[in-house]
Amino acid sequence: MKNDKLKNSFKKARHANLVFSHSYWIQCLLLTCHIKIIFFVPNVLTFVPLRDILILMEGGIMKKQNIINLIKYHVERNENSFRNEAINIARDFDSLGDEQIAEYIMSLIAESNMYSPQGSDFESDFLKQIDIRAIEPLNLPSEISEDVKGIINAVNHNVGINKFLFEGMPGTGKTEAAKHVARLLDRTLFRVDFENLIDSKLGQTNKNISLVFNEINQIPNSNRVVILFDEIDVIALDRINSNDVREMGRATSTILRELDRLTDLNKEIVVIATTNLFSNFDKALIRRFDAVINFNRYSKEDLIEVAEYYFSSFIKNFKGISKDIKLFRKILSSASNLPYPGDLRNIIKTSLAFSDVNLEHDYLKRLYNSLIGELDKTDINQLYEKGFTVREIEKLKGESKSSVSLLYMVKVHLKAIQKQYNEENGIVPMTIIKEIFF
């Protein structure tokens, strides 16, 4: 009888087009579990048609504890917990194979305007919010930049392409690119804290992985969030690799399962993972991502441009240092191999920071030693052959221009005499060299 009265109240409310808070959900859920309680206190307003609730009622498998939690969170006006409980209910339906109900609940939550929590309200043991308000400009090669723009376009198209893997050597800009993706999408960035995730106890890491994905599914306003698994290879190496411990193999299997579930339950959240060990990455896990972006595509000219940007940014903070961009570029061009931006940035910064405050060009000498090496053992003639001018050699060697010029002329003449004497008599005796120059 009471149930009939409750049903009638829902019908009257529907015909009157009343607007309900989530307490309306509670009434319907209570009806589903046959708990004779009516709880109706308007709060944050939303409209949920009765036909939507009837679809949820058909499942009839909700736990009484879910209902108690919903009432508790409503009384406490705890919007975040109320939403999280609804998400847990959706996960329960999904685990029992009722994917339609689970997706329906998640779609109602996503479409509803009754939740307006801020990202800073979310608390987690495994997810740490990253501040992206003051990040540096990103200097990427045009090919990689176009791929980053493609990610922005794909997410904005809202067609379910939202999981991306950034692979490349350390220092290629993968993490910084993820920050810029979040900034360009105007989303909050959360990083998975692997220090808390990985546990020495057998099986606990797998449990923690499930917990972190549970937290990801409970984040308020998931369409405003980017999740970063930075250096995911810590827990996701190839399961077939004999060098990989069995526990990490199980961890990879757990990630595969949870990523699949995330795709089913949360189609709007953006996931970015980075790896330095792509060759050891599990092939099945690679297939879980919609796109893989290679960050190793730097030409030498790209690296020189990045270095110039860092140099111009850093030198402003140092007094008494002469900015010589031409010689700076020439040192970089003379290096046989340039490091990737992360290491290059540190080399430039330390060259400036460690330089003698009384020597305006000392940083160039330090830069040369870091990138090429053994400047003190490199003679003037070798520097000339590398394309350095007399004035540039003076700055690098710390000697006067006249001394550099004189030594160079001596080297040139000695080389010519050596060549002529070798053709006629063999090695030039020291006595002849003294007679010519001294």
Side-chain angles (χ1 to χ4, degrees), residues 380-385 388 390 393 402-414:
I380 293 171
N381 191 49
Q382 290 174 310
L383 291 174
Y384 269 111
E385 290 174 353
F388 293 98
V390 171
I393 295 173
S402 57
S403 298
V404 173
S405 298
L406 177 61
L407 288 171
Y408 176 69
M409 293 303 296
V410 169
K411 291 280 187 182
V412 170
H413 284 293
L414 181 59

Side-chain angles (χ1 to χ4, degrees), residues 97-114:
D98 204 335
E99 296 178 359
Q100 284 187 323
I101 294 291
E103 290 182 10
Y104 193 76
I105 294 173
M106 294 302 295
S107 68
L108 288 176
I109 293 172
E111 293 171 5
S112 175
N113 293 321
M114 67 176 165

